[in-house]
Each structure stands twice: as C-alpha cells, then as structure tokens.
Amino acid sequence: MRTQFGTIHLKTYLCGALLLGAGLLPATAMAQDPASASPATSTKADDPTLSQVDADVDPADEAAEVAIEEAMDTEEDKKNWSLSASVGTRIYQGMFVNLENTDDNLSSPYAADTSGSYSRWSNVYSIAAGYKLDDFNFGARAVASHWLSRAGGINEPNEFRFQDMVFSAGWSGYNIEAIDTRFSAKYDLSVPTSTVSQTANLIVGNYVGLSLSKTFVRKLSLSYTMTGGWTPHSTTIATVDSDVAQIYREDELVGNEVAAVGGYNTEFSLSHSFSASLPVWDKLRASASYSYGSYWTYDRADADDEFSSDIEGIQQGRNYGDGISATAGLSYPINDHFNVSGGISTSQSPKTSDNKGFRFPWWNFTGAAANRSSINLTVSGTY
C-alpha cells in the first residue's frame, strides 16, 4: 500500500463532490465515485498521485446515467424504466510526452521502463438502470475501472477495480414562471463496495444536490448545482489489515493486526458546479462544465481514539482543502439507442504550487507528469 493513500482518499471525495452536479448536462459530464477521503491538503502543493485517483474516481463520463434520463424524457419512449451501459477510455497527458525518470525512488515501480514512468491510460465500464415515477427518477449505477498502462493503478500495474455502487433519487423539479427557470433536486447514496472506501472505513456516502437550469432561445442550456456531502466513517482515518498493507512503519500500527495508512478522512464537502450546453450542427452538441469544491476532515480536537495525538504542536481541528474540475466536449446520438461523446477533463487544485497564481481550469499547463488532464472518449447505449 503506498504512503499516498491519504491523498487518494482526499481526491476521491473531492471528485465526488465536484462532479455530482455535472449530471444535469444534456451532453456528457464526468462521473464520480464517492469513495473516501483523507486529510485535506492545501492548494500550495501539487499531488503527484492525482492521475491514479482520476481513473478510480472519474469512471469515464456519466454517459449511462445521462442517457437514461434523456431516454425517459423522449416522447417516442413511453416506458418508465430504462437500462444503459457505457465504455469509456481516458488517455492522460503523460502519454503524449517523453518523460523519463531515472530516479528509482521517484519513478513508478510499475513502469516497464523509465520512459513510461508517467504514462497513464485507463478504461471505465458502467452499467445503470433507471425508473421514472411521475416527477421522480430513481436509478442505480455500477462502475469498474481498468488501467491499460503499466504505470497506472494504486497497488499494482494494469489494475482492475470495482467502484462504489451509487443509488440515486431525483425530483424533476418546479418551473419558476417569473424567471422561466427550473428548480430540481437529487440525492445520491454511495455504498462502499470499492477497496478504497473499505480501507477508509466509509459507512455510506450521502450527497444532496439542488439545481437551477434555464434554456435560452431553445438552444443554450445553462445550469448551476450546489451539492453538499456527508460521508460518515467508522474511524476518523483510513486503516487496513497489516497483511494487506505490506509496507508500514511501526508508528502506523494500531494493535497487532491493523495499520493506519492515511490521514484524517473527509467528513463534509460542498461544491458549486456550472455547466453549459449548445447545439453545434444537426444533433451534435457541445458542453462545458466548471466545478469548485471544498471539503473538511474530521475534527482532530474532538477525536478521542487510538489515532489521536496529544503531542504539543500537532495541528488540531478540521483540515480544509479545495479543488476544481472542468470538462469540455462534444456529444452525438448515433440513433435512438446509442450515443458517442468525447472531450477533455481536468482535476486539480485551483492555485499553482507556489500559491501565487491560478491554474487554467480546462487543461493543465504546469507539467504533464502530474497527469491532471486527459482526453476522453465514451460510447453508451440505452434501452
């Protein structure tokens, strides 16, 4: 188990909070795996493990779920239920440059050679089911990720992982006549079926989203979503069986059989998501989204367990962190049942490593080795 596991937990929750609102996009938006998070880090430092997290928490696009909602809204399809599946591939920017790292201490141990240390490429598979009852929609989604590059994965090369199961309930909303704007709501429940969430000792993930959407001249669709998350855990930090952890220091042992592998888990999150969609030509549609998320760890001062420290000078209280996620892409319905979409996506901290400037949201220009940005292609089918 890598020592960056705490950061991995952090990014999982961050992406979950950021991307829940993106489901309202008429075209494609990135998805989330609300696994678990750990101590919130500030925007002052880059996270080299972000590329590993993205494939685990950004299972392709939310093509399956979006396709279900659109299919049930069409006049041609009168049935209340729908089934959907999608296959997506995500190629990170490290694949397009020759980044060689000859330092074995910094290079990925799973790289076939030093020139492939920062290559990241993954596939994501998703299946979903939905049911519509009057103004309410209910759904369930299962996702699995598979690294195609040897340098990818959290624990091993070419890693295949099941993600958290997500159950959702949404209200199609109320149209505010005075401003011709629709208000809607959604609740997502994530079950800790992934290894990451189980290691973090997540009990369940709860996410509530409130959205406002408006369409101008029947073409340009804009939406804003505020999503709050509460993710209770049975322990305040991630732990794992010492036999599974394999690598740990003595001060990370808790008892004889459990090792502490990360910092404090995230308990609360809040995100603000903005999205836009516009027809380009025929059925081809363009979309873009921007999300800003904040997250808070468990309160260290209130923690009274074997993981707490009474050493003077150790930071107490809640850690805080923030991050941004942005997407841009095109979507085209091949027919009534199949859709293809592609674009770019980026997940990163809003400010540069020196904390002196802001990063461009839709693409990472400060080092391909971080693999913060990727090119995505998704094919989805709905019945």
Side-chain angles (χ1 to χ4, degrees):
M1 187 71 64
R2 298 184 185 177
T3 57
Q4 302 101 319
F5 211 106
T7 306
I8 290 174
H9 297 318
L10 169 70
K11 297 300 180 182
T12 16
Y13 269 148
L14 167 62
C15 292
L18 288 178
L19 302 177
L20 274 173
L24 285 178
L25 278 174
T28 330
M30 292 194 305
Q32 83 290 348
D33 173 20
S36 98
S38 84
T41 54
S42 71
T43 59
K44 296 181 179 180
D46 293 334
D47 178 15
T49 67
L50 183 59
S51 60
Q52 300 163 355
V53 179
D54 280 351
D56 263 353
V57 281
D58 293 350
D61 299 324
E62 267 186 347
E65 184 176 359
V66 173
I68 284 178
E69 294 175 355
E70 291 182 346
M72 290 191 294
D73 286 338
T74 58
E75 295 181 0
E76 294 80 9
D77 195 344
K78 295 299 183 181
K79 64 179 184 295
N80 292 330
W81 58 270
S82 184
L83 299 175
S84 183
S86 68
V87 177
T89 190
R90 182 177 293 268
I91 304 175
Y92 293 86
Q93 61 185 136
M95 292 286 292
F96 303 102
V97 293
N98 185 18
L99 295 172
E100 185 171 351
N101 189 349
T102 57
D103 189 338
D104 293 337
N105 294 323
L106 299 178
S107 178
S108 169
Y110 306 126
D113 53 56
T114 55
S115 63
S117 300
Y118 302 104
S119 297
R120 302 289 187 271
W121 181 18
S122 67
N123 275 359
V124 181
Y125 314 98
S126 172
I127 57 174
Y131 184 79
K132 184 175 182 179
L133 180 63
D134 296 329
D135 293 334
F136 297 92
N137 292 286
F138 303 92
R141 183 174 68 253
V143 176
S145 62
H146 182 207
W147 282 100
L148 303 181
S149 59
R150 183 170 174 79
I154 296 178
N155 292 322
E156 58 186 23
N158 307 113
E159 196 170 65
F160 182 92
R161 281 181 178 269
F162 288 103
Q163 306 304 314
D164 286 357
M165 282 283 297
V166 178
F167 299 91
S168 61
W171 174 50
S172 60
Y174 169 78
N175 192 62
I176 306 173
E177 298 293 343
I179 56 176
D180 192 23
T181 299
R182 177 163 291 275
F183 171 79
S184 58
K186 185 180 181 183
Y187 169 71
D188 276 8
L189 174 73
S190 67
V191 180
T193 53
S194 68
T195 303
V196 173
S197 292
Q198 292 171 7
T199 302
N201 302 308
L202 175 69
I203 298 174
V204 71
N206 302 277
Y207 301 90
V208 176
L210 304 176
S211 302
L212 291 173
S213 58
K214 181 178 177 62
T215 300
F216 297 88
V217 295
R218 298 185 179 181
K219 290 186 177 181
L220 175 62
S221 298
L222 301 178
S223 68
Y224 161 74
T225 301
M226 180 175 65
T227 302
W230 174 48
T231 46
H233 299 73
S234 58
T235 60
T236 57
I237 71 170
T239 60
V240 69
D241 226 334
S242 59
D243 293 336
V244 178
Q246 298 177 353
I247 300 174
Y248 54 86
R249 299 185 299 267
E250 289 186 6
D251 58 355
E252 290 177 330
L253 281 175
V254 180
N256 297 322
E257 300 179 352
V258 177
V261 295
Y264 278 73
N265 290 320
T266 291
E267 186 178 16
F268 300 108
S269 61
L270 179 67
S271 70
H272 303 274
S273 303
F274 304 88
S275 63
S277 176
L278 181 70
V280 178
W281 173 77
D282 192 20
K283 297 179 180 180
L284 182 67
R285 198 169 187 89
S287 63
S289 69
Y290 173 87
S291 299
Y292 187 99
S294 303
Y295 37 96
W296 295 264
T297 68
Y298 281 90
D299 192 341
R300 301 193 197 189
D302 295 339
D304 185 19
D305 52 30
E306 62 269 41
F307 310 127
S308 303
S309 174
D310 56 1
I311 301 176
E312 184 177 355
I314 296 296
Q315 181 181 351
Q316 299 297 317
R318 295 184 185 272
N319 277 352
Y320 167 81
D322 55 4
I324 60 174
S325 176
T327 68
L330 299 171
S331 177
Y332 187 84
I334 301 174
N335 53 37
D336 292 340
H337 298 287
F338 291 95
N339 182 83
V340 61
S341 59
I344 58 175
S345 61
T346 299
S347 296
Q348 58 189 348
S349 56
K351 302 192 75 174
T352 55
S353 301
D354 58 9
N355 220 24
K356 294 182 178 180
F358 290 91
R359 291 190 171 106
F360 180 71
W362 282 273
W363 192 260
N364 167 45
F365 294 104
T366 58
N371 279 296
R372 299 185 185 96
S373 298
S374 64
I375 297 176
N376 317 308
L377 179 65
T378 300
V379 177
S380 60
T382 304
Y383 176 76

